[in-house]
Amino acid sequence: MNKSTNGGQNFDYIAGQMSGDRVNWSAPLIIHPTNPDILYFGTYRVWKSTIGGWGWEAVSEDLTDGDEGSTYHTVTTLAISSLDPEIVIAGTDDGNVHISQDGGDNWEDISEGLPDRWITRVAADPNDVNTIYATVSGFRWDESEPHVLMSNDLGENWIDISSNLPELPVNVIIADPENPGYLYVGTDAGVFFTENYGDAWVNIMNGLPNVPVTGMKLHNPTRKLVIGTYGISAWWLNLDDIVRVTEHVETESELSIFPNPVSSQLTFYPEEPVSRVEIYDLQGKVVSTQQWDTPIHEITMNVENLSPGLYILRTNSGNRPATGRFIKK
């Protein structure tokens, strides 16, 4: 077994069995969600270890279109379902996605319906065992269209949920385990969020510059979304800020705001007349306030000056305060 030293520490090289494989410069490695001895690694095929990496077995054939002697045609992304760890998904840089439903013993090509482009990330939904996702980048082909795909039947059929995303390559996707339908994607110009499986996306940069986001992890115990960028290090976002205002209390009712998303002017009808309304950004800062001498039932507010993003509106008068969320286009 090959060994190397670094600062007096010994390291064992455990990839010898696959060292001759064609491999991506950002080769994927994933760990079983409940058994850390089970690992999967991608070259141009999928390798599996059941002994913590000390021994590996190739559990798939070539999942790419094949090109010996090239650093292209490689596995770029792997995912394992937290609901059923027997489900493993692999994506390649030449547009292929395969799935195994028996821990890697057998693989099915589920690429039909996907763009013939670089598969940047595959993911399994933490709330529905049959739902999976794939993000795709056309950067190599000088294509700027966004590609976010969802399947509700483990890849038998794919639905494009890119909707209103800007024309940018998409690099990574996270599904929220606490909120079905909440998805976060990292693009070549920041992070976007949807609360309805991609029917509408909103920018949630919150001070993050417009840079490529190449990696994201959701630490659910603290509700933090950790973001890795290409060039300006790592950032994090408190996800609870997206779904509630700090002052929110359980007795507050929900407001129906329309149109939503909104470009210039919104309207809502509180259950009781109000005389003061505040709008918060996701950091809990009041960005707009409007008040009236006499409480009124129908509220119309101009939000044209707000930056694109997700906001929380709250009535701060009357016997029963109410809140609502809206997206500014």
Side-chain angles (χ1 to χ4, degrees):
M1 187 174 293
N2 297 325
K3 291 191 175 184
S4 62
T5 60
N6 183 7
Q9 300 296 317
N10 291 325
F11 294 92
D12 294 310
Y13 183 67
I14 60 173
Q17 293 161 280
M18 62 188 79
S19 59
D21 277 15
R22 192 171 64 248
V23 62
N24 194 269
W25 55 83
S26 296
L29 172 70
I30 58 172
I31 303 175
H32 191 285
T34 58
N35 185 349
D37 286 332
I38 298 178
L39 313 173
Y40 295 89
F41 185 80
T43 58
Y44 63 83
R45 49 186 170 171
V46 177
W47 292 78
K48 181 179 181 179
S49 174
T50 58
I51 52 175
W54 296 108
W56 294 87
E57 176 188 3
V59 292
S60 80
E61 301 295 331
D62 190 343
L63 300 183
T64 76
D65 293 338
D67 186 11
E68 291 297 333
S70 169
T71 56
Y72 186 47
H73 301 289
T74 59
V75 174
T76 50
T77 174
L78 292 169
I80 187 168
S81 172
S82 60
L83 300 177
D84 180 1
E86 291 293 290
I87 297 174
V88 184
I89 317 160
T92 73
D93 55 17
D94 50 14
N96 296 329
V97 174
H98 289 75
I99 190 169
S100 172
Q101 298 185 52
D102 53 15
D105 289 341
N106 297 279
W107 293 85
E108 177 188 358
D109 188 343
I110 55 172
S111 309
E112 186 175 352
L114 295 172
D116 187 16
R117 295 290 185 264
W118 191 297
I119 308 298
T120 52
R121 202 62 52 98
V122 290
D125 194 281
N127 300 291
D128 180 9
V129 71
N130 293 311
T131 298
I132 60 176
Y133 305 92
T135 59
V136 182
S137 171
F139 181 83
R140 180 185 176 96
W141 297 267
D142 197 27
E143 177 196 278
S144 58
E145 291 183 28
H147 296 294
V148 183
L149 289 301
M150 177 179 71
S151 173
N152 295 319
D153 50 17
L154 293 178
E156 291 295 321
N157 299 278
W158 291 96
I159 307 164
D160 190 323
I161 59 170
S162 308
S163 61
N164 65 319
L165 281 172
E167 293 187 356
L168 295 165
V170 183
N171 305 314
V172 58
I173 184 168
I174 294 283
D176 195 326
E178 295 291 328
N179 301 285
Y182 281 35
L183 306 173
Y184 313 88
V185 295
T187 73
D188 270 9
V191 180
F192 292 80
F193 160 72
T194 178
E195 62 180 358
N196 45 32
Y197 290 106
D199 283 348
W201 296 87
V202 61
N203 183 314
I204 54 169
M205 299 291 282
N206 288 291
L208 178 71
N210 290 325
V211 296
V213 173
T214 55
M216 297 194 302
K217 291 291 184 182
L218 196 164
H219 186 246
N220 201 43
T222 59
R223 298 296 295 158
K224 283 188 172 69
L225 183 68
V226 183
I227 301 160
T229 72
Y230 189 84
I232 58 168
S233 192
W235 298 60
W236 66 266
L237 172 69
N238 184 356
L239 294 181
D240 285 340
D241 289 343
I242 293 177
V243 296
R244 62 172 170 79
V245 182
T246 303
E247 296 88 352
H248 179 76
V249 294
E250 293 182 358
T251 56
E252 294 184 5
S253 60
E254 283 290 322
L255 294 169
S256 295
I257 300 170
F258 64 93
N260 195 359
V262 57
S263 57
S264 58
Q265 187 170 277
L266 61 79
T267 301
F268 64 95
Y269 298 88
E271 293 182 2
E272 60 179 51
V274 298
S275 58
R276 181 180 175 86
V277 176
E278 293 177 340
I279 296 176
Y280 298 79
D281 63 17
L282 294 186
Q283 296 173 326
K285 178 183 177 182
V286 177
V287 295
S288 180
T289 301
Q290 190 165 335
Q291 58 186 31
W292 301 265
D293 294 335
T294 302
I296 56 178
H297 267 293
E298 178 180 347
I299 310 293
T300 299
M301 297 184 69
N302 190 322
V303 294
E304 191 171 8
N305 293 330
L306 295 180
S307 301
L310 182 65
Y311 294 89
I312 290 82
L313 182 150
R314 187 172 190 260
T315 63
N316 281 347
S317 61
N319 296 322
R320 189 182 183 191
T323 59
R325 285 173 289 154
F326 69 91
I327 296 172
K328 171 60 169 61
K329 295 192 290 187

